[in-house]
Amino acid sequence: LLVADIYLEKALTAQSLNYDLDGIHLLLDNSIKYNSGNPRALFIEGNVQRKLKGYKKSEDAYKKALKLFPYYSFIYNNLAATYFEEGEFDEAKKACLKAISIDPGYLEAHKNLALCYIKLDEKKLAAGELKKLINTAYPSDDATKLLMDIVPDDPEAYYFMARMHRRRGNLEKAFEEVNIALGMNKDYKKAIELKETINKEIQETAK
């Protein structure tokens, strides 16, 4: 095990110094040869192979790591990313769902699941995942824009766009977007409250 750990540490050092991926792979390969039961080495090898576009080797490394540690959500998430890059969107979706079942608050997995749903043309499900990324303490602007692209008939998408523009200090654009939301649903309480807030802020800045 000592030899395996030495190779693994060398691989981690090489990775931190941005050495070439082939060299890192050789170090990891040696580590795994001496200790095939090290999930950390297998996980990193999966990451390296994915970057090298060796997707089947990446899958194999992640799956071996999961046999050792089946409750590591981030391994499922990275496996999902490998499937996604191969165009296997249904398999990617399953891996994302498994990651989320282990860690419901794993935002990266929710983002990847949304991308899977988009590829599978399941827009309502994708919108649900994107809204989870937006309704956080640190809302995702990318998720906000993507939500607008896939459900332009949803007043909540305009509400979120208004919030995004307000965060950025673009009050006039925020006012425009919240008005669109209210044009689609005049009783949208959160949009009514946001419009009042934006209107006050515009008046304050005009003084």
Side-chain angles (χ1 to χ4, degrees):
L1 294 183
L2 179 60
V3 176
D5 290 342
I6 290 171
Y7 276 115
L8 177 57
E9 288 306 314
K10 285 183 177 180
L12 292 170
T13 301
Q15 188 177 46
S16 69
L17 295 172
N18 293 317
Y19 282 14
D20 71 281
L21 293 171
D22 288 313
I24 297 170
H25 158 64
L26 288 174
L27 291 167
L28 289 167
D29 193 46
N30 280 317
S31 177
I32 293 166
K33 281 178 183 176
Y34 282 100
N35 179 15
S36 60
N38 188 334
R40 189 180 185 194
L42 289 165
F43 174 68
I44 298 169
E45 171 66 359
N47 294 343
V48 169
Q49 287 296 341
R50 182 157 57 90
K51 290 176 182 176
L52 289 169
K53 300 188 185 303
Y55 298 125
K56 293 302 179 185
K57 291 180 179 178
S58 178
E59 281 180 39
D60 185 56
Y62 288 141
K63 287 175 180 177
K64 285 178 179 177
L66 285 167
K67 283 183 179 179
L68 297 166
F69 282 88
Y71 300 108
Y72 274 29
S73 58
F74 57 86
I75 303 178
Y76 279 106
N77 183 60
N78 284 28
L79 177 60
T82 299
Y83 282 134
F84 190 92
E85 290 175 31
E86 290 182 281
E88 296 184 27
F89 305 121
D90 196 56
E91 290 301 315
K93 179 186 76 171
K94 291 175 185 176
C96 286
L97 288 168
K98 183 64 178 179
I100 292 167
S101 73
I102 296 167
D103 181 2
Y106 192 177
L107 294 180
E108 182 71 18
H110 283 288
K111 182 193 80 172
N112 288 336
L113 180 57
L115 295 175
C116 291
Y117 282 139
I118 290 169
K119 288 292 187 181
L120 293 167
D121 201 29
E122 299 182 51
K123 292 182 179 179
K124 287 187 178 179
L125 291 173
E129 294 304 316
L130 291 171
K131 288 176 182 180
K132 291 172 187 175
L133 298 173
I134 299 167
N135 283 316
T136 66
Y138 302 98
S140 167
D141 286 354
D142 288 340
T144 301
K145 294 173 187 174
L146 189 54
L147 181 66
M148 175 62 75
D149 288 341
I150 65 170
V151 285
D153 57 344
D154 184 349
E156 195 168 20
Y158 291 93
Y159 167 76
F160 287 135
M161 286 294 287
R163 288 201 325 182
M164 182 188 77
H165 287 300
R166 178 172 175 253
R167 286 195 303 274
R168 293 179 170 186
N170 191 342
L171 295 176
E172 292 179 0
K173 185 65 177 174
F175 193 74
E176 178 185 325
E177 297 285 2
V178 79
N179 270 330
I180 296 173
L182 287 168
M184 300 171 79
N185 179 3
K186 63 182 178 61
D187 298 319
Y188 190 175
K189 186 177 179 181
K190 288 193 294 185
I192 292 170
E193 293 170 352
L194 180 60
K195 181 177 179 178
E196 290 173 354
T197 300
I198 294 169
N199 196 33
K200 288 177 183 176
E201 290 173 344
I202 290 173
Q203 291 173 9
E204 286 294 322
T205 56
K207 289 180 180 179

